[in-house]
Each structure stands twice: as structure tokens, then as C-alpha cells.
Amino acid sequence: GQQVMQIPQYQHVQEGEDFTTYCNSSTTLSNIQWYKQRPGGHPVFLIQLVKSGEVKKQKRLTFQFGEAKKNSSLHITATQTTDVGTYFCAGRGGSYIPTFGRGTSLIVHP
Amino acid sequence: DAGVIQSPRHEVTEMGQEVTLRCKPISGHDYLFWYRQTMMRGLELLIYFNNNVPIDDSGMPEDRFSAKMPNASFSTLKIQPSEPRDSAVYFCASSGGQVYTEAFFGQGTRLTVV
């Protein structure tokens, strides 16, 4: 079945440093979504990417979808303590339901 | 809209007892999902419904787990009998429309089986 791998599992950064998490699929995706889960909270939808090579920005967050539609990345510029949480990608292949990656936990040290 | 509502928020039960988790999806959403989240396995899809009909329950770990959706505004996930390894956070999520856009998650139920 479809597998979505996400790296790294954890990332410690100093406040102000940049952060990137990567998502790779074993199959071509029709779209990919990103979610954020704050500690003790629930996953919250951030964005969806559909087109090959698509790049979307939300303030300090930049999302990319690979040309082959098998990988994606989330980059945060100048992290803040409010960025703390786990970031999940969820890739949708042939099934209606996307497959979630294991997530990357971001820890920001002030 | 109040979003996806789950109850209870926390549940502590003894091994062997029956546990029922409840979910009210967002009104108008025709897809409902049950997920389980643990440190070891991450976020796992257990089962999902479309228009109250179970579509895929391949993620349900064992026969001890069952889920129902008697109407568009209510779903339950039951574990009977419960075991310590069932301890996890269980999320319900819903989405709407023919094109999957995003899933709205509830606050989750933290289950502890002792």
C-alpha cells in the first residue's frame, strides 16, 4: 500500500533559526496536505498542494510539492516559540483518503 | 459551527472493561474518520464512514474494536474488552464534499487502560 515517510522525526532549533521537514511517498500523489498539531492538541489543517512543482507561502511557512508529485517539504523561516508542535504531511494517492506521515516534532529553544 | 465534538475528553478504565468513545461530526460533512495516535505508531486510520456507511475498516486492530454511525450526526467507537495496549489518543475527524479538501479533527479522547 501507499507509504508516506517523513523526516526528521524530531528537530531542535534555537529561536530564529530555520526549520525544514520533508515528506516522501512511495507512489505518485494526487495531492498532499500539511497539518500542525500543538502539544496536547489535535491536528489542524494548514494547506493543500495539488500541482506539480507548486509552491505556497503562509507568512513564514513555505510549502513545496515536488515535480514528480512524490515528495513535499515545509520550511519555516526564523522560527518562533509559537511554531512548536508536530507537523504532519498527508498524501493522497489513488484512494480518497490520504495517508499521514509519522510527523516531525519541532522544538524551539528560546 | 462548534467543530467536531468528542466525548469524553479523558477516560481511565480497568482492563477488561468496555469503553465507548463518541463523536459528533460537523453538520453537513459526509465523511467521518476514527484515528488512533500513539508514540509508537503515530496517527493510524482505524475506520471511515461515508454517508453513515462504513467504507474501510481495515485499520481496526482487532475484533475487540467496533464502530457505528447510526445517523449523520453521531458515531461511536467501542472497545470490548479493553486492554492496556489500547491506551492512546483517539481522534474523530470529518470532511465534506466530493473532493477531499481537509479533515477537521476533534479534540480527541485520551484513553488510559490500567
Side-chain angles (χ1 to χ4, degrees):
Chain A
Q2 179 183 317
Q3 292 187 346
V4 175
M5 308 300 292
Q6 200 171 345
I7 56 170
Q9 187 175 358
Y10 299 95
Q11 183 75 57
H12 289 255
V13 300
Q14 290 294 131
E15 189 173 16
E17 292 181 339
D18 292 356
F19 159 79
T20 304
T21 174
Y22 300 90
C23 186
N24 294 289
S25 169
S26 57
T27 60
T28 302
L29 302 171
S30 57
N31 62 48
I32 193 158
Q33 298 176 343
W34 286 90
Y35 291 77
K36 177 184 178 181
Q37 183 177 20
R38 295 183 185 276
H42 59 281
V44 175
F45 175 82
L46 293 177
I47 206 162
Q48 176 170 283
L49 304 173
V50 179
K51 299 177 182 177
S52 169
E54 188 170 13
V55 178
K56 287 188 176 180
K57 293 189 176 184
Q58 289 180 350
K59 298 183 180 178
R60 294 177 295 103
L61 278 61
T62 302
F63 304 84
Q64 294 188 342
F65 201 8
E67 293 290 340
K69 301 183 76 172
K70 295 182 73 173
N71 58 74
S72 181
S73 65
L74 158 59
H75 180 82
I76 302 178
T77 304
T79 55
Q80 300 175 358
T81 54
T82 53
D83 296 326
V84 165
T86 301
Y87 292 85
F88 293 93
C89 63
R92 180 183 165 200
S95 167
Y96 178 87
I97 307 303
T99 300
F100 278 80
R102 291 293 303 273
T104 296
S105 293
L106 172 62
I107 301 99
V108 180
H109 298 278
Chain B
D1 199 320
V4 177
I5 299 173
Q6 291 187 247
S7 63
R9 292 292 307 279
H10 302 273
E11 178 79 35
V12 179
T13 190
E14 292 185 346
M15 182 175 63
Q17 296 297 307
E18 175 181 305
V19 176
T20 300
L21 311 181
R22 297 172 174 80
C23 174
K24 175 179 168 53
I26 292 173
S27 177
H29 281 187
D30 50 5
Y31 281 84
L32 183 140
F33 312 89
W34 282 100
Y35 288 91
R36 178 172 68 176
Q37 186 175 41
T38 61
M39 289 293 293
M40 291 295 294
R41 303 176 68 88
L43 197 61
E44 303 173 272
L45 176 64
L46 301 178
I47 185 171
Y48 77 93
F49 296 82
N50 178 218
N51 292 322
N52 313 338
V53 176
I55 303 301
D56 184 353
D57 65 353
S58 61
M60 297 286 260
E62 299 172 32
D63 291 344
R64 298 184 296 106
F65 286 69
S66 62
K68 294 182 179 180
M69 192 166 185
N71 57 63
S73 59
F74 184 66
S75 177
T76 60
L77 178 66
K78 183 180 294 185
I79 308 173
Q80 180 185 20
S82 59
E83 297 182 3
R85 59 192 168 127
D86 301 330
S87 298
V89 179
Y90 291 82
F91 287 105
C92 175
S94 71
S95 69
Q98 294 183 349
V99 178
Y100 188 101
T101 52
E102 62 181 284
F104 292 83
F105 283 76
Q107 303 276 11
T109 295
R110 181 172 295 277
L111 173 65
T112 303
V113 183
V114 298

